[in-house]
């Protein structure tokens, strides 16, 4: 399976500031995704980030609020801009990777727990 | 709209008893269905998936799931629960949208296995 790491693992931030979350994968992957998991809720897809193209955002998410970079096939960043307490969530990076069984599987990073005061 | 429903917020079961975590789906075409587990302070881990073929799918940690097309269900099961199975379980369906395959998740079901 693909091994995904995220930095930071958690952070507490003041409203109005911005935080950039890093996602590093131990293998080259084409498709990377960013999800948000609000407290007690399910996962919601923020955007799909493919190397060499602009990120594709889901309804309700905009680039100005959640700018994404994808400089190469193993790395991506998600910035949460001008934060408010409503942005307090777990942010997860995810990739599609061909597993040892030969099938494409979707793997998730450990998440970044963000608290905005 | 394509969606996944997990009707139970929480499932309680005694250790050693069989467990079932329910999932129903609404998609157009043939569904690609998944189960993931989330342990406290950890990311999601893939358990199993149904793409095609045998309706009974076996996955990690002794879990299995049964695809039922007529009932549009994909319930997660395990013959004998362990306390260590206590976690948050998510059912998901893969859909094609905007040129990409994306996972749509259910709300999650918290499984509590009691000694």
């Amino acid at each position: 399976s693909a091994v995904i790491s995220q930095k930071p693992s958690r952070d507490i931030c003041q409203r109005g500031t911005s935080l950039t979350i890093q996602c590093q994968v131990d293998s080259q992957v084409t498709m990377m995704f960013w999800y948000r998991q609000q407290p007690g809720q399910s996962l919601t897809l923020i955007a799909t980030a493919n190397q060499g193209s602009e990120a594709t955002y889901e309804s309700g998410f905009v680039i100005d609020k959640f700018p994404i970079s994808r400089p190469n096939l193993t790395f991506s960043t998600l910035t949460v801009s001008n934060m408010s307490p409503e942005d307090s969530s777990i942010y997860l990076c995810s990739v599609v990777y061909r597993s040892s069984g030969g099938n494409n599987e979707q793997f998730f990073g450990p998440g970044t727990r963000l608290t905005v005061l | 709209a394509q969606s996944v429903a997990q009707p139970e917020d929480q499932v309680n079961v005694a250790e050693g008893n069989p467990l079932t975590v329910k999932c129903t789906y609404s998609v157009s075409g043939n569904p690609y269905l998944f189960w993931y587990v989330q342990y406290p302070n950890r990311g999601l881990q893939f358990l199993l998936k149904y793409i095609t073929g045998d309706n009974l799918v076996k996955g990690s940690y002794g879990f299995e799931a049964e695809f039922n097309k007529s009932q549009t269900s994909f319930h997660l099961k395990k013959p004998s629960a362990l306390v260590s199975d206590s976690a948050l379980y998510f059912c998901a369906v893969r859909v094609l949208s905007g040129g990409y395959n994306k996972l749509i998740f259910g709300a999650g079901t918290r499984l509590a296995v009691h000694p």
Side-chain angles (χ1 to χ4, degrees):
Chain A
S1 64
V3 177
I4 306 169
S5 60
Q6 289 185 229
K7 290 182 181 179
S9 59
R10 58 178 63 225
D11 206 342
I12 301 174
C13 301
Q14 297 296 321
R15 70 169 65 217
T17 63
S18 298
L19 176 72
T20 296
I21 302 168
Q22 299 179 7
C23 175
Q24 181 75 52
V25 189
D26 69 343
S27 304
Q28 293 186 339
V29 294
T30 301
M31 299 188 71
M32 295 183 77
F33 306 87
W34 286 99
Y35 286 82
R36 179 175 74 182
Q37 185 179 17
Q38 293 178 300
Q41 298 191 29
S42 187
L43 282 77
T44 302
L45 181 62
I46 298 172
T48 302
N50 290 338
Q51 196 269 339
S53 63
E54 294 289 325
T56 302
Y57 289 82
E58 297 299 303
S59 175
F61 298 95
V62 295
I63 187 171
D64 289 346
K65 176 67 176 178
F66 297 101
I68 288 171
S69 78
R70 182 77 202 276
N72 57 53
L73 292 174
T74 63
F75 187 78
S76 177
T77 67
L78 170 75
T79 299
V80 186
S81 303
N82 187 24
M83 288 184 285
S84 67
E86 292 72 33
D87 294 321
S88 298
S89 295
I90 299 173
Y91 292 85
L92 297 108
C93 173
S94 177
V95 304
V96 173
Y97 182 75
R98 188 173 294 274
S99 66
S100 56
N103 298 317
N104 285 331
E105 304 294 355
Q106 189 159 345
F107 297 94
F108 288 81
T112 296
R113 184 178 295 271
L114 170 63
T115 301
V116 184
L117 303 178
Chain B
Q2 303 185 97
S3 63
V4 174
Q6 293 179 244
E8 303 155 315
D9 292 335
Q10 179 152 335
V11 170
N12 297 298
V13 64
E15 187 175 30
N17 284 0
L19 69 86
T20 298
V21 182
K22 295 179 180 178
C23 172
T24 59
Y25 64 90
S26 174
V27 298
S28 55
N30 294 321
Y32 288 12
L33 296 158
F34 302 80
W35 276 101
Y36 285 84
V37 59
Q38 186 176 39
Y39 296 100
N41 300 315
R42 293 171 64 178
L44 265 67
Q45 295 180 33
F46 170 79
L47 275 180
L48 52 79
K49 69 176 180 182
Y50 172 83
I51 302 296
T52 187
D54 195 347
N55 288 345
L56 185 63
V57 180
K58 294 188 183 297
S60 307
Y61 312 122
F63 283 93
E64 57 188 28
E66 186 169 12
F67 171 66
N68 188 316
K69 188 173 184 178
S70 63
Q71 297 184 4
T72 62
S73 67
F74 189 56
H75 301 331
L76 182 70
K77 300 180 180 182
K78 187 172 183 180
S80 179
L82 301 172
V83 172
S84 57
D85 292 329
S86 299
L88 189 56
Y89 290 81
F90 290 98
C91 182
V93 63
R94 181 184 295 170
V95 300
L96 181 63
S97 176
Y100 297 105
N101 284 320
K102 303 169 185 175
L103 285 179
I104 296 177
F105 287 86
T109 298
R110 187 165 300 279
L111 173 65
V113 181
H114 305 286

